[in-house]
Amino acid sequence: MEPSIYRFIIKYSLRQQIALTLLSFASFVPYYYYLLMPKLIVNQGISHKDVEFPVSILGISLGPEAFLILLCVGFLALVIVQQGFKYSINVYQGISGERMLRRLRYELYARVLRFPLPTFRKMSQGEIIPMIVAETESLGGFIAESFALPLFQGGMFLVSLGFLFAQNWGIALAALALYPAQLYLIPKMQRKVNQLGKERVRSARRLADRIGESIQGVQEIHANHAAKRFLAEFSSRLGDIYWIRYEIYQRKFMIKFLNNFLQQAGPFTFYLIGGYLAIKNQLDVGTVVAAVAAHKEMGAPLKELLNHYQQREDARIKYEQVVSQFAPPGIREADYQLAEPEQVPALDGDISVAGVTYVDDNDTVVLDGLSFTLPGRSRTAVLGSGPGREELMLLLARLLEPNKGRISVGGIDLAPLPEAVTGTRIGFVSATPYVFNASLERNLVFGLRHRPMAETHYEGEVAKRWQMRLRESAASGNSIDDPDTDWTDYTQAGVSDAESLTAEALRVLRLVGLYEDVYQFGLRGSIDPKANPDLAEAILRARAALREKLMQPGIAQLVEGWDRSRYNRNATFAENLLFGLPVGDGFDMERLAEHPYVLQVLEKVGLTQRFLEAGRQVAATMVELFADLPPDHEFFQQFSFISSDDLPEYQQLLQRVPRERLNEASPADRMRLMSLPFKLIPARHRLFQMEPELEEKLIEAREVFARDLPPELAKDIA
């Protein structure tokens, strides 16, 4: 990567920077006349100085009022032109900056994929991720304005200064009087802020690394009662960041204070000197007004320039820090991963290891002058204690590079081969393989997806969006491969298409003893019927066929099916009431007794009192049965209405709320009692009598629940 951020900018965005520079220069002419207009409006449009009416412009005679309107309209037009230039420059800057930020992140990620494996022992994901995502964020904004902003704002400053000299050289010199102090003090104070910012970045990285380490080692923290020490260490690291930021804030806002003070001292000078000269008739009022306006316009560019200097120093430090971290010793070239040979040679024959020496990142000699030959198509076990076995396997898989020696297969040296050869011809499974956060199918065929094997043809608006994405990817130096096309190399698996690949995958699952597990995993899974309409239809047909089979004699009593008009005695009260599955956050099956709508439904059908009575009956039975049982008794698991910890509370509740005073129970006690019946399964829990009238009421509640379900809750249940 380029060692400095400016070399990176020039290498990849020189054309955009030239275009921004030309736009900046083009804006200076209308900007000068924009500064001149207030003077013309005051002196000629209002005071009528050096103007004889009627004024003839383009053959049209204008009186005083029309002439003033024309000058004001001209001023407004110049404002629109000037703001149009700013808009165009800012938008183009934003696009250029985002492209460069995208390019930088892509390059950093590509380099991570080429890191030698030992690098990851020194750098954790807690360090790498923030560097790619968070620390580069501000670089995009700086890259966008690295050349255009100083040229544009510096040009505006010089135009304003030139305008002041054109009006009165004495006022111009007065305007310049305070700028040397500002230009000397601010950068000097900013350097210290930049140093503190650099230390803040380092501290934030160490903090992220500590968080990642705590997450990975949380089991050890619990097992060894180390949470208190970890919290103390974390507090100390947070304190380091706090005091760094505290000093940054003090210095940063002192810079802002000086900036604003020196900026406001300018108008004081103009009003004092310009006003005095105007009283002495040595200067007209329009010039004073224009000078004040021009000085005000000078302040914004100067402020932007000083801010740009601060951002430049911050960006320079961040870029150099990031680049230094992404250039570890032994990093492979891009062609190692991306080169695609016309023909991938077969690695068949004897495996030869000649004089291989490997030294790890701690300068420990792990393998020293190792030599052997393994016959092709043979099975070999590497035995022994101590280091060396894992490193040997990684060397043979070309995941580590030997310091000395040569490894070849069938006479082909592995060292110069790109990943396109070794990654497709060598299979490797470590002792701790990683399963990606993707579908089982994607993980299973992971080793078959190396490059796009087909080209997807898009149409209409989709094709337009894809072409736009393609152009932007190319402009940012990113990959232009389509991630949504088919990447599966069927020939590598010895099959011809997706259907035969599925059959081969099932054969492999049977071979390794996973077929039944995957089958059960599939039965427990869920699908999107819109995305898989054929599968959804097949499952519905299977449901109908299964129901027919379950109605046969001898089987019917084994499964109780769902019927909207019947109460299911093998399901809980809650499942019978909802007659569906919660799919959002609106309903919690464990806390239905607290849900306002559920309580409203029970009240509508007259079940509130019955639920209170049932809840008290269940609580009394549980207390009577389990009061003398040890906390770990299996009955607490079988009847999971009340835990052993909550049993004493229910004992006190039953004493507070006798059966005849249920209506006087507090809201908290009512909620506790009503939560118990929702968990009852009549066919399993023989804790109270389930009369037919209660079943009918619950079926009625089911209908009311579905009929009156508010639209905002309808999305939370299927």
Side-chain angles (χ1 to χ4, degrees):
M1 294 183 69
E2 300 303 319
S4 75
I5 190 168
Y6 277 99
R7 288 181 62 176
F8 176 74
I9 293 168
I10 292 171
K11 182 176 181 179
Y12 294 113
S13 67
L14 182 60
R15 291 174 61 183
Q16 289 87 345
Q17 300 302 333
I18 291 174
L20 286 167
T21 300
L22 294 176
L23 272 174
S24 300
F25 285 151
S27 69
F28 295 155
V29 175
Y31 180 62
Y32 181 86
Y33 287 102
Y34 160 77
L35 295 175
L36 183 62
M37 266 300 179
K39 177 182 178 180
L40 297 178
I41 291 172
V42 173
N43 286 347
Q44 298 182 6
I46 298 175
S47 301
H48 304 161
K49 183 180 179 181
D50 301 326
V51 181
E52 293 183 4
F53 293 99
V55 175
S56 179
I57 297 178
L58 298 177
I60 302 174
S61 296
L62 301 175
E65 296 84 358
F67 183 62
L68 176 61
I69 292 172
L70 178 64
L71 289 176
C72 292
V73 169
F75 176 74
L76 182 62
L78 287 169
V79 169
I80 294 173
V81 170
Q82 189 62 22
Q83 294 305 316
F85 271 109
K86 284 185 178 180
Y87 173 81
S88 302
I89 290 170
N90 287 333
V91 169
Y92 196 59
Q93 276 182 351
I95 293 172
S96 176
E98 283 303 312
R99 283 177 179 170
M100 292 292 283
L101 178 59
R102 181 177 174 178
R103 179 187 292 272
L104 177 60
R105 283 173 169 164
Y106 181 83
E107 174 65 19
L108 294 176
Y109 179 69
R111 294 178 79 84
V112 169
L113 296 183
R114 303 200 304 272
F115 278 3
L117 290 185
T119 303
F120 295 102
R121 295 172 188 163
K122 298 178 180 177
M123 293 178 65
S124 68
Q125 63 179 7
E127 293 178 279
I128 295 174
I129 295 172
M131 283 192 282
I132 296 178
V133 179
E135 293 181 24
T136 58
E137 184 67 31
S138 61
L139 294 180
F142 171 76
I143 290 170
E145 59 189 31
S146 55
F147 287 95
L149 187 141
L151 286 171
F152 180 66
Q153 300 293 348
M156 290 177 68
F157 178 82
L158 293 176
V159 170
S160 301
L161 187 61
F163 174 80
L164 285 176
F165 271 102
Q167 306 310 307
N168 187 285
W169 64 269
I171 288 182
L173 289 176
L176 284 174
L178 296 174
Y179 285 128
Q182 194 172 4
L183 294 173
Y184 172 76
L185 288 174
I186 303 302
K188 192 171 184 180
M189 296 172 68
Q190 184 62 36
R191 276 195 287 273
K192 180 59 178 176
V193 174
N194 292 336
Q195 292 173 1
L196 291 169
K198 191 173 182 179
E199 181 58 33
R200 181 190 62 80
V201 169
R202 290 200 196 99
S203 299
R205 280 187 199 164
R206 290 193 292 267
L207 184 70
D209 186 42
R210 190 59 167 172
I211 294 172
E213 186 182 34
S214 301
I215 292 171
Q216 291 179 342
V218 68
Q219 182 173 314
E220 282 71 18
I221 294 174
H222 289 316
N224 295 281
H225 186 45
K228 195 169 184 179
R229 179 171 58 83
F230 270 70
L231 287 170
E233 291 177 358
F234 191 74
S235 173
S236 177
R237 292 172 189 267
L238 289 175
D240 293 341
I241 295 176
Y242 169 82
W243 289 111
I244 291 172
R245 281 190 174 275
Y246 178 76
E247 191 171 353
I248 287 175
Y249 288 143
Q250 285 184 311
R251 295 175 181 274
K252 180 179 176 181
F253 291 110
M254 177 55 70
I255 291 173
K256 196 169 185 179
F257 169 79
L258 288 174
N259 240 338
N260 292 334
F261 172 76
L262 295 173
Q263 203 60 48
Q264 296 302 319
F268 163 79
T269 306
F270 286 123
Y271 288 130
L272 180 64
I273 299 176
Y276 176 80
L277 294 175
I279 291 172
K280 295 294 185 179
N281 293 322
Q282 297 178 15
L283 197 67
D284 56 72
V285 176
T287 300
V288 175
V289 172
V292 172
H295 182 268
K296 184 179 179 182
E297 293 292 333
M298 287 173 64
L302 186 63
K303 188 175 182 180
E304 289 289 337
L305 288 171
L306 289 170
N307 287 338
H308 176 75
Y309 169 78
Q310 297 169 10
Q311 292 175 357
R312 185 191 74 183
E313 291 301 301
D314 186 48
R316 179 181 63 80
I317 291 168
K318 282 185 178 178
Y319 181 85
E320 290 173 359
Q321 280 186 320
V322 169
V323 168
S324 66
Q325 294 294 322
F326 284 79
I331 186 171
R332 288 161 169 163
E333 297 296 327
D335 285 346
Y336 164 74
Q337 282 185 333
L338 304 179
E340 294 284 350
E342 294 183 6
Q343 185 175 3
V344 179
L347 297 181
D348 199 4
D350 293 348
I351 301 173
S352 176
V353 174
V356 166
T357 297
Y358 176 72
V359 181
D360 66 12
D361 50 320
N362 294 320
D363 293 329
T364 301
V365 179
V366 180
L367 299 173
D368 190 7
L370 183 65
S371 299
F372 61 82
T373 299
L374 297 176
R377 300 182 181 275
S378 64
R379 297 180 181 179
T380 303
V382 179
L383 306 177
S385 59
R389 292 171 300 169
E390 181 181 358
E391 286 78 5
L392 176 58
M393 296 300 105
L394 294 172
L395 287 165
L396 292 175
R398 183 71 192 298
L399 299 175
L400 288 179
E401 297 285 351
N403 297 84
K404 294 179 182 179
R406 182 176 184 268
I407 301 175
S408 61
V409 180
I412 300 176
D413 187 4
L414 297 185
L417 295 180
E419 212 173 65
V421 177
T422 58
T424 56
R425 297 304 191 200
I426 299 175
F428 176 78
V429 181
S430 71
T432 55
Y434 184 80
V435 177
F436 288 90
N437 185 21
S439 67
L440 177 65
E441 183 261 347
R442 283 182 174 271
N443 276 282
L444 193 59
V445 301
F446 187 77
L448 301 178
R449 293 178 171 173
H450 316 294
R451 65 190 69 82
M453 303 303 295
E455 184 177 350
T456 303
H457 297 282
Y458 301 104
E459 296 180 356
E461 288 297 321
V462 178
K464 291 181 181 177
R465 286 197 297 270
W466 167 244
Q467 288 300 322
M468 288 176 59
R469 292 176 66 89
L470 200 63
R471 285 196 297 269
E472 280 303 315
S473 294
S476 304
N478 285 198
S479 170
I480 58 173
D481 293 328
D482 184 358
D484 297 324
T485 194
D486 190 0
W487 286 61
T488 307
D489 186 351
Y490 298 106
T491 57
Q492 188 181 348
V495 298
S496 57
D497 53 27
E499 187 174 347
S500 54
L501 179 64
T502 301
E504 176 65 13
L506 294 176
R507 185 189 71 82
V508 171
L509 290 173
R510 284 191 178 94
L511 188 68
V512 298
L514 280 176
Y515 182 84
E516 189 63 29
D517 297 283
V518 173
Y519 179 68
Q520 294 294 333
F521 179 71
L523 286 179
R524 291 193 299 271
S526 60
I527 64 164
D528 181 358
K530 294 181 180 178
N532 301 276
D534 295 338
L535 180 57
E537 183 63 31
I539 291 174
L540 290 177
R541 291 197 303 271
R543 177 199 295 175
L546 182 62
R547 183 174 292 243
E548 287 182 12
K549 178 159 285 192
L550 291 174
M551 292 174 65
Q552 296 176 6
I555 303 179
Q557 72 274 15
L558 298 179
V559 175
E560 182 178 6
W562 287 100
D563 185 338
R564 193 170 190 86
S565 62
R566 291 177 56 247
Y567 186 87
N568 193 316
R569 297 180 65 85
N570 284 280
T572 65
F573 277 30
E575 290 165 343
N576 272 282
L577 176 64
L578 268 61
F579 205 74
L581 282 175
V583 292
D585 299 328
F587 294 97
D588 183 350
M589 295 294 277
E590 296 296 321
R591 306 182 67 177
L592 287 184
E594 303 174 34
H595 199 288
Y597 177 67
V598 173
L599 296 177
Q600 180 184 335
V601 170
L602 295 180
E603 187 65 30
K604 277 184 181 179
V605 299
L607 272 177
T608 303
Q609 185 65 25
R610 187 66 185 91
F611 258 62
L612 278 171
E613 293 171 357
R616 194 186 187 287
Q617 182 180 344
V618 171
T621 304
M622 294 287 290
V623 168
E624 182 181 349
L625 291 177
F626 302 146
D628 299 326
L629 293 179
D632 58 347
H633 198 279
E634 62 183 26
F635 280 1
F636 282 108
Q637 299 295 326
Q638 186 176 353
F639 298 91
S640 57
F641 305 109
I642 302 175
S643 67
S644 58
D645 294 335
D646 293 336
L647 203 62
E649 294 185 21
Y650 276 94
Q651 286 177 319
Q652 296 174 10
L653 189 155
L654 292 172
Q655 294 173 2
R656 286 197 306 270
V657 185
R659 188 185 304 277
E660 61 276 7
R661 293 171 57 188
L662 277 175
N663 292 329
E664 300 175 16
S666 67
D669 287 344
R670 289 171 66 88
M671 186 270 294
R672 279 181 173 273
L673 290 175
M674 291 187 69
S675 67
L676 298 178
F678 281 107
K679 304 173 184 179
L680 273 174
I681 301 175
R684 184 188 304 174
H685 304 136
R686 310 290 183 177
L687 300 178
F688 86 112
Q689 186 64 33
M690 182 70 175
E691 61 270 13
E693 293 79 11
L694 181 57
E695 287 189 8
E696 292 175 5
K697 280 288 186 182
L698 283 166
I699 294 172
E700 181 185 352
R702 175 193 299 171
E703 296 297 329
V704 172
F705 181 90
R707 184 192 67 206
D708 300 341
L709 189 63
E712 63 271 15
L713 292 176
K715 67 180 185 304
D716 291 325
I717 188 166

